[in-house]
Amino acid sequence: HKGDIWVKSELNKGTSFYFSLPKVSYNDILKEYISREIKEVRKKKGYFSVVAFKFENVPEESNQEHNKILKDAERAVKETLRRKGDVVFKMGKTIGAILPDTEKRSAIMVLARIKEKLRQIFESYEKKIIFNDIVITYPGEAKNENEIINKLRR
């Protein structure tokens, strides 16, 4: 994890063990996960897809409504996914999933199931929740983890 570990010891006084871990953002963890997935795909000559939903009219992060909308969206994604290896992520106002061994056509079907679940959840909200969706398949639609992250940010 790019941290350090060291020991200080003095005879007849004792030993102290120290460690430090760098502060890592959720985006850094996501980027690292996508990078590992790319390495696996290159080894196996396979593919993976990312499906994501960017919520447009969500209030700022400190707002309770913001937290509720994104938690409900995250729950909808988790409940819709069927495979053990699928991973849900949050990046700002974007909730998505990394789908290993999933080509574009199957990812679009997963996206449709998640959209239906989101519609069911959000129809009880007073305010209409607006979101855009995206499917990115690697390789083919992105060359590396930075391109995937950049497409998710748009």
Side-chain angles (χ1 to χ4, degrees), residues 13-152:
K13 285 193 173 183
T15 303
S16 296
F17 295 86
Y18 301 89
F19 69 91
S20 70
L21 295 172
K23 185 175 181 179
V24 180
S25 73
Y26 195 80
N27 289 348
D28 292 336
I29 294 167
L30 176 61
K31 186 175 177 179
E32 186 177 318
Y33 188 89
I34 291 172
S35 179
R36 279 194 307 237
E37 193 64 34
I38 287 172
K39 286 177 188 165
E40 280 298 308
V41 164
R42 286 180 179 159
K43 269 195 272 184
K44 297 189 296 186
K45 298 191 186 306
Y47 41 80
F48 73 95
S49 293
V50 178
V51 296
F53 302 88
K54 184 173 185 176
F55 295 87
E56 299 298 330
N57 62 334
V58 175
E60 290 309 308
E61 209 167 312
S62 60
N63 186 302
Q64 268 188 320
E65 185 183 11
H66 167 96
N67 294 334
K68 179 170 176 25
I69 292 168
L70 293 181
K71 280 187 190 298
D72 285 349
E74 187 175 3
R75 181 174 44 88
V77 173
K78 285 179 181 175
E79 288 175 0
T80 306
L81 297 176
R82 298 177 179 162
R83 296 182 314 169
K84 193 175 185 177
D86 297 340
V87 175
V88 176
F89 66 86
K90 179 181 174 230
M91 187 176 83
K93 293 181 180 183
T94 300
I95 303 287
I98 299 168
L99 311 171
D101 300 317
T102 306
E103 52 23 267
K104 183 82 168 189
R105 187 174 53 87
S106 296
I108 290 170
M109 291 189 304
V110 171
L111 181 88
R113 286 197 318 265
I114 295 170
K115 279 169 76 168
E116 182 55 36
K117 183 78 169 176
L118 288 171
R119 281 192 196 101
Q120 291 170 7
I121 288 172
F122 293 144
E123 67 186 14
S124 67
Y125 278 49
E126 286 180 32
K127 179 172 116 178
K128 181 178 167 94
I129 305 301
I130 299 168
F131 60 86
N132 296 309
D133 56 70
I134 186 170
V135 176
I136 306 162
T137 301
Y138 177 90
E141 297 175 347
K143 293 180 183 124
N144 56 44
E145 62 275 6
N146 290 325
E147 282 190 19
I148 293 170
I149 298 287
N150 287 338
K151 286 179 183 226
L152 291 171

